[in-house]
Amino acid sequence: MEIRHLRLIKAIVEEGSITKAIDKLHLTQSALSHQLKEAEYQLGTKIFLRINKKLILTKAGEKLYATANEILDKLSDTEKEIKQLIFGEVGEIRISTECYSSYHWLPSVLKQFHLLYPNIELKIVMEATHYPLQKLQENILDIAIISDPIKDENIKYVELFQDEMMMVVSENHSWTGKKFVVAEDFIHEHLLIHSLPLETVTIYQFLLEPAKVSPKKITPLPLTEASIEMVKADMGIMAMAKWALQPYLKNNSIKAIKIGKNGLKRKHYIAYMNNKTYPDYFQHFIEFLQTEISQQWTI
């Protein structure tokens, strides 16, 4: 009995007819009939009975079909393991972050990891940005990078880094003389944010909303460069992570102001499901991410 015979039996049973098995195995009618006769000759008994134009497994056929499944599954697993030994681990990691500013550093980190694991596909799921933990629970993500963890025993958090949010204003803004700003300072201001909903915006979530303060105007503007130009023209203010703001501060036309007396600091975490089994490369990616971030982006 050869592997091709086992594949033939499996195809006939699962496709439901010889005609469909022919299409799946890319054989001619005569070639399939010949292989089936070979298998029955070697087995010494019939594998199928034709009843009402349907092929029904005999007792011997049922035993052979069960064995075919076991052997072919084992063979498939072995082929995958051999490919991994030769070409490295194969798989994918779906990742997103709740903060658009994180996408400044994320692609470069993913690129570095891909050099080490070229057969691991890293997918950035942009549409999960606003609700990464929800998408994690729905199995749309494998990893979420977040700064606002929720209590859930099924989610594991690994601390990644801490950054500080700063307010960005023009050099002519009235805040430039302040050491820091508080919620009440925003009442007459035009606040530029990256996107809605407001509850996902850090400055609103941790400063304005707790103080029940609403700025005079709020405008979503998804392009950081456009927001910076608005700020330069004294047409609005914006909050931005200190590390991401550094390149723009080289231009003296904008200033960075601390938020609150002690600053508005955020801890970022890697979040993943605690009740799932992951392949080895998954943990390797988390360790790589921690190392790269601690070396380059920790504030």
Side-chain angles (χ1 to χ4, degrees), residues 270-294:
I270 298 169
Y272 60 94
M273 299 306 294
N274 199 28
N275 55 354
K276 285 179 61 176
T277 301
Y278 296 95
D280 290 342
Y281 64 76
F282 185 85
Q283 191 60 43
H284 295 167
F285 176 73
I286 291 176
E287 292 168 359
F288 180 86
L289 198 58
Q290 286 179 293
T291 301
E292 287 296 305
I293 295 300
S294 65

Side-chain angles (χ1 to χ4, degrees), residues 99-201:
C99 177
Y100 277 102
S101 64
S102 297
Y103 290 117
H104 285 77
W105 56 260
L106 186 57
S108 62
V109 173
L110 300 189
K111 183 178 180 180
Q112 291 298 316
F113 182 79
H114 194 255
L115 293 175
L116 298 175
Y117 293 87
N119 298 312
I120 306 300
E121 185 178 0
L122 299 166
K123 294 182 178 179
I124 297 179
V125 186
M126 293 291 290
E127 57 269 27
T129 298
H130 292 313
Y131 306 102
L133 290 177
Q134 177 183 328
K135 300 303 181 184
L136 185 69
Q137 293 169 317
E138 294 173 357
N139 196 34
I140 293 172
L141 292 179
D142 298 306
I143 285 178
I145 297 175
I146 58 97
S147 59
D148 189 22
I150 62 172
K151 288 185 178 181
D152 188 324
E153 62 181 13
N154 293 321
I155 300 178
K156 183 175 179 63
Y157 299 101
V158 178
E159 188 172 330
L160 191 55
F161 68 96
Q162 179 176 278
D163 66 3
E164 181 177 0
M165 296 298 291
M166 306 288 289
M167 290 309 302
V168 189
V169 300
S170 78
E171 60 181 345
N172 300 316
H173 196 277
S174 60
W175 286 2
T176 54
K178 290 179 174 288
K179 291 183 178 180
F180 61 89
V181 292
V182 295
E184 289 71 23
D185 292 322
F186 287 74
I187 292 175
H188 301 294
E189 298 296 332
H190 177 198
L191 178 64
L192 305 173
I193 62 174
H194 189 280
S195 60
L196 296 169
L198 267 179
E199 58 265 25
T200 66
V201 178

